[in-house]
């Protein structure tokens, strides 16, 4: 079986060029680059990571397929003012199957022409989930502070915050999490040379596993929310 050997400059160039050209005719003319230099290595990367990710959660979707663990490059333009047909980035996710995929906590790796990023979080956390998250923070601040010790460089907390803080008096470490509209921790890397190397898989695996305490915390809340519904 083939192993992940890294992405190629041709693949990164494609992501830049498809955004500039962004037409069906151009895409079809260059589809072989998309298939061989992007989708093929993405599938190999998912396959190589799968066993370690199942140790984190045995219910993860691990099929190396578009729409399962690999994103589509085609944009859904039905409800968007931006009618660009294609994205200039691709990503993979490891998460439990969920009818509303935006709400499931997920591990992710995203590739663009000028770098990559990876981490853990929600694409779009629901209000009930964030309300429960905030409630749990206040109920047991000690446990929460212990949990987020796993979030250290290169990871940082990201996501839009409320313009008017929901809480001010608490420890700043708690307040910065509490006041978020959405939730993710992410490492952003501008050194594209990393993605040309087979060791990228090991780097992602180490990073994902280091965030296990936070993943377990979020999944505890997810299960609690389902029981409460």
């Amino acid at each position: 079986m083939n192993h992940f050997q890294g992405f190629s400059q041709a693949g990164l160039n494609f992501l830049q060029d498809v955004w500039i050209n962004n037409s069906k005719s151009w895409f079809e003319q260059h589809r072989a680059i998309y298939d061989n230099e992007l989708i093929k290595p993405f599938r190999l990367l998912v396959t190589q990571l799968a066993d370690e990710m199942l140790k984190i959660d045995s219910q993860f979707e691990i099929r190396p397929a578009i729409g399962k663990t690999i994103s589509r490059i085609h944009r859904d333009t039905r409800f968007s003012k931006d009618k660009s047909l294609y994205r200039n980035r691709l990503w993979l996710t490891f998460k439990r199957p969920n009818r509303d995929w935006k709400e499931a906590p997920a591990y992710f790796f995203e590739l663009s022409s000028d770098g990559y990023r990876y981490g853990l979080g929600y694409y779009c956390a629901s209000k009930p989930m964030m309300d429960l998250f905030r409630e749990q923070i206040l109920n047991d601040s000690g446990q929460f502070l212990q949990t987020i010790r796993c979030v250290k460089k290169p990871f940082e907390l990201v996501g839009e915050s409320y313009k008017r803080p929901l809480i001010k008096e608490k420890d700043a470490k708690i307040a910065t999490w509490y006041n978020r509209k959405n939730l993710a921790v992410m490492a952003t890397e501008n050194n594209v040379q990393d993605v040309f190397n087979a060791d990228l898989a090991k780097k992602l695996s180490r990073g994902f596993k280091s965030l296990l305490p936070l993943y377990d915390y979020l999944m505890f809340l997810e299960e609690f929310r389902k029981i409460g519904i």
Side-chain angles (χ1 to χ4, degrees):
M1 182 180 68
N2 292 332
H3 292 281
F4 174 75
Q5 297 299 320
F7 293 93
S8 68
Q9 186 63 58
L12 270 60
N13 291 345
F14 177 93
L15 290 175
Q16 183 175 48
D17 293 343
V18 74
W19 186 249
I20 296 171
N21 295 282
N22 225 286
S23 69
K24 185 175 181 181
S25 60
W26 186 93
F27 181 83
E28 292 301 331
Q29 290 171 15
H30 298 82
R31 177 179 280 275
I33 301 175
Y34 167 71
D35 289 337
N36 295 322
E37 306 299 329
L38 289 167
I39 297 303
K40 183 178 178 180
F42 258 105
R43 284 177 172 154
L44 292 172
L45 181 56
V46 169
T47 299
Q48 192 151 330
L49 290 171
D51 286 346
E52 291 302 315
M53 299 310 294
L54 287 175
K55 293 177 183 178
I56 293 175
D57 190 334
S58 62
Q59 297 184 50
F60 274 153
E61 171 65 77
I62 60 166
R63 284 174 287 180
I66 295 173
K68 300 299 181 183
T69 54
I70 302 171
S71 68
R72 295 178 173 87
I73 196 169
H74 299 79
R75 295 184 65 251
D76 184 351
T77 62
R78 291 174 298 172
F79 310 108
S80 174
K81 292 182 180 179
D82 181 0
K83 299 303 179 182
S84 304
L85 297 177
Y86 305 102
R87 298 185 175 96
N88 64 341
R89 56 192 67 235
L90 290 172
W91 60 87
L92 64 80
T93 57
F94 289 101
K95 61 183 183 299
R96 291 185 180 185
N98 188 310
R99 266 187 285 181
D100 191 344
W101 62 271
K102 294 179 181 180
E103 291 191 7
Y107 284 94
F108 63 89
F109 161 76
E110 182 182 274
L111 177 69
S112 65
S113 62
D114 57 358
Y116 66 100
R117 51 190 188 175
Y118 63 104
L120 167 67
Y122 292 88
Y123 182 86
C124 185
S126 67
K127 186 179 183 301
M129 176 59 199
M130 291 306 296
D131 288 344
L132 180 60
F133 176 75
R134 284 187 277 270
E135 180 182 344
Q136 182 63 21
I137 287 177
L138 296 185
N139 285 343
D140 194 341
S141 298
Q143 179 194 12
F144 177 71
L145 289 172
Q146 180 68 25
T147 297
I148 62 173
R149 288 179 63 185
C150 70
V151 182
K152 49 192 174 184
K153 291 184 178 181
F155 296 105
E156 61 179 353
L157 177 64
V158 298
E160 185 181 1
S161 297
Y162 286 95
K163 292 181 180 178
R164 180 175 295 178
L166 302 177
I167 191 170
K168 298 178 181 179
E169 291 75 17
K170 281 287 183 180
D171 184 309
K173 289 182 180 179
I174 293 176
T176 189
W177 290 76
Y178 189 96
N179 291 317
R180 300 283 166 167
K181 291 183 180 180
N182 200 24
L183 186 64
V185 294
M186 185 166 67
T188 301
E189 301 283 0
N190 296 318
N191 182 11
V192 295
Q193 296 300 317
D194 290 350
V195 306
F196 303 144
N197 195 308
D199 286 342
L200 176 65
K202 295 179 181 178
K203 181 175 185 176
L204 295 179
S205 181
R206 287 195 301 268
F208 290 159
K209 285 189 287 188
S210 74
L211 297 175
L212 178 58
L214 179 59
Y215 179 74
D216 285 344
Y217 188 89
L218 296 177
M219 287 310 302
F220 167 78
L221 295 181
E222 283 289 330
E223 294 302 319
F224 188 82
R225 183 174 68 89
K226 289 177 183 177
I227 294 172
I229 292 175

